[in-house]
Amino acid sequence: MASARILAVDDSPTILAMLEEILVSAGYEVLTAEDGAEALESARNGKPDLILLDVMLPKLDGYRVCRLLKFDQKYKAIPIIMLTAKAEEQSMATGLRTGADQYLTKPVEPERLLEAVADELARAEG
Amino acid sequence: MSGHETRLEHDLTAEQGERFREYIHEHSGIHLDEGHTDSLRISLMTRATRFGHESLDRYYELLVADETEFRELMNLITINETSFFRFPAQFEALRTFVVPEILDTRSPAVRSFRTWSAGCSTGEEPYSIAMTLLDAGIDSLGHHAEVLGTDVSTHALERARAGVYPPRALLNVPRDRVDRYFEPTATGHRVTDPVRDVVDFRYQNLIKGPHPSALMGNWDVIFCRNVTIYFRIESTRRVVESLFERLNPGGYLFIGHSETLTGISNRFETIEVGGVFLHRKPTSAVRASVPQTPRPARAAAAAEAPQVPVRAVEPEAPASEPSDAAAHLRDARAFADNGDFDAALERLTEALRIDPTLAAARYILGLIHLRAGRTDDAIAEFRRTVGADDDFVLAHLNLGNLHRSRGEHAEACREYEAALGALERSPDGAWSEFLGGFEPEVLIATCRRSLDQCQRIGGRG
C-alpha cells in the first residue's frame, strides 16, 4: 500500500524534512505539520491514512492531538504512531491511554519506522 | 408645567444625553457611545411617553427613583438581533474540540458539563449550545449538559423561556438539526423538550450583582459574545477577570468573532482551531522545568534576543571555564525541549557570554526565533551559527529551507550545497546531536532532494 498518505508532525523543521524524506523515498504521499493545532487541522481536512505524531509540540502537545482524534468517531480509525524522545514508562502509559496505536522512542531507525508504518496501515486495511 | 396637554420635547439635548449615559453606565456598566444615541433617544421617548412625562428631565427623576423602570429602559436599549448558531464555526469548535478535551482530561467523578451563556438575549445562544452539546454525544459518554442563560433584559428572558422563534432565526440551522430540535407550532418553531430540559434562564447584570449562587464558579465553558462591546474598557477588564475566576482550570471562554482579549486580559491561553480563536484558562499544572537550577531574576531582559557579537572573544584567561558554557548549553536544550523558551534564552545568553563561538547555542537560538515566527532573526542567527562553525550542517539546511520558502532559490541552493559539503567534511560534527537520532544518510538524502527541487523550480542545475 505504497500510495497511502501519511501526516508527519514534528516541531523541528529538520527532523520533519528527514521524516518526509524517509516516507517519500518509500513511495508514500506526505503531509506535514509543525504544531499541534496545524496537525489537528490537517488530520481532519487532509484525509491522511496514518499519522506520525511527535509528543513535544507547540500550541497543543501530541497527546492532546491524539486524544482529540481518537475521541471522534469520524477520525478514530486513523492509525496514530507517537514519536517521542522520552523513554520513561510514564510516557509510555500516557501514550497508550491516549489511544495511540503504536509508540516509537527516538531515535528511530528508518527501517523500523517504515516497518511500523506498514504494519499499522495493513492493520487498518485488515 | 404649563397646563397645556402633555407634549414631549423631541430632542435629547447633549447635556441630557450625557446625564442618561452616565447614569446608565454607572448602574449597568454599559457604555453607550455616539453610535447608540438614536437607540438611547428612541428608548427614552418610548418610556417617557408611557408615563406622560413632558420632559426627559422628569423621566430622569423617575428613572433614578425606580429600579423597575431602569430595567424596563434597559430592555429597550439592549434589544439585539440574534439567531441560532451565530458564527457556526464557534459551535463547531465547541463540539469537535472543547467538549472532547474537557471530558477527557477531567476527573471521572465529575458528571456534568456546565456552560454559561452570559448576555443570552432571547435565548438563541444557550439553546444552540445545548443542541451542540447533545450533538457532541455528551449523554452517551455518561455526562449531562447544564446550560444557563443570563441577561439584563427581563423581556428577552421571557421570550427565551417561551422558546418559540420565527423562521428567520433558524437561518443558520442545518435541516437535520431543525428536524431534531424544533417542532413547528402555529406561532413559530418551538425548541423541543430534550433541549429545553438542559437550559435554565436567570436575570443577571454582568457588572453589578447580585450573582445567583449558581453563577459562582465551576463553569467548563462561558459564552460572552458581543456583550463587552457595550462596556467601557475598565468594565470589560473587570467582567473578563470575573469570568476567568469562574471558569474551571482548562475551561474555555468564547468571545465574539470580532472581539479580542488584547489589552483586556493576558491570563488566557489563546489557540486557533478551524479559524476560531479559543481562550483557555490554564490548568494549574505548570510545566515542570527540567533543570533544577534556579531561574535568574533578570528574565525580562534575557527574553530579548541576546546580542552577543561573534568575534568578541577574549583570547586570554576567560573568567569562566568553557565547561561552564557547555553546562549552560545542556540546560538550555532541556528547557527548550520542555517548551520553556524564556529559560532557554537565559541559559543561551549565559553560554554565549562565556563562549561566543559556541555554534550549537546560536543554532538553538535560531530555532527559538524560527518557532516564534521571527524568520529574519532566525536567518541572522543561523548565519552566525555557520559563521562560528561553517560545518554546522543543520544551520545550512535551515537557511536553505528559509530562503526557499521566501522564493530565494539561488540562496537556497547555495545553502543546500554547503550542507552537503559540510556533511562530507565532518559527518559527525557538533551538529549531529541535533539529528534526533537519524543517521547522516537520511540527512544527505534530505539535502539532495531539497537541492534537486530547488534547482528545478529556480531554473538552475
Side-chain angles (χ1 to χ4, degrees), chain A residues 11 13-15 17-22 37 40-41 44 56 58-60 64 67-68 71 107-108 110, chain B residues 96-97 100-101 104-105 141 252 272 274 280 337-338 370-371 397-398 435-438 442 445-446 449:
Chain A
D11 64 330
T14 41
I15 304 275
M18 286 188 280
L19 282 174
E20 191 178 359
E21 171 59 32
I22 294 168
L40 200 58
E41 202 78 8
R44 285 171 172 167
M56 289 295 191
K59 295 192 183 171
L60 290 174
R64 280 169 80 189
R67 274 201 297 262
L68 285 162
F71 180 92
V108 189
Chain B
T96 63
F97 185 90
E101 183 184 291
D104 194 73
T105 49
L141 294 160
Y252 283 87
E272 189 200 332
R280 179 177 189 258
D337 284 346
N338 222 35
L370 189 60
R371 170 81 65 86
L397 177 57
N398 272 296
L435 257 189
F438 286 114
V442 179
T446 305
R449 184 167 53 86

Side-chain angles (χ1 to χ4, degrees), chain A residues 49-112:
Chain A
D49 298 296
L50 181 144
I51 302 170
L52 279 176
L53 189 57
D54 187 37
V55 170
M56 289 295 191
L57 295 173
K59 295 192 183 171
L60 290 174
D61 69 33
Y63 293 134
R64 280 169 80 189
V65 172
C66 183
R67 274 201 297 262
L68 285 162
L69 291 171
K70 288 300 181 186
F71 180 92
D72 199 323
Q73 290 298 335
K74 237 155 95 192
Y75 307 103
K76 65 189 284 185
I78 306 174
I80 296 182
I81 299 176
M82 301 280 281
L83 298 173
T84 179
K86 286 187 194 168
E88 300 98 62
E89 267 183 302
Q90 199 192 351
S91 314
M92 189 77 101
T94 320
L96 293 175
R97 196 176 69 79
T98 351
D101 297 270
Q102 232 188 99
Y103 190 88
L104 295 178
T105 307
K106 291 185 199 170
V108 189
E109 283 172 31
E111 293 74 23
R112 175 81 196 86

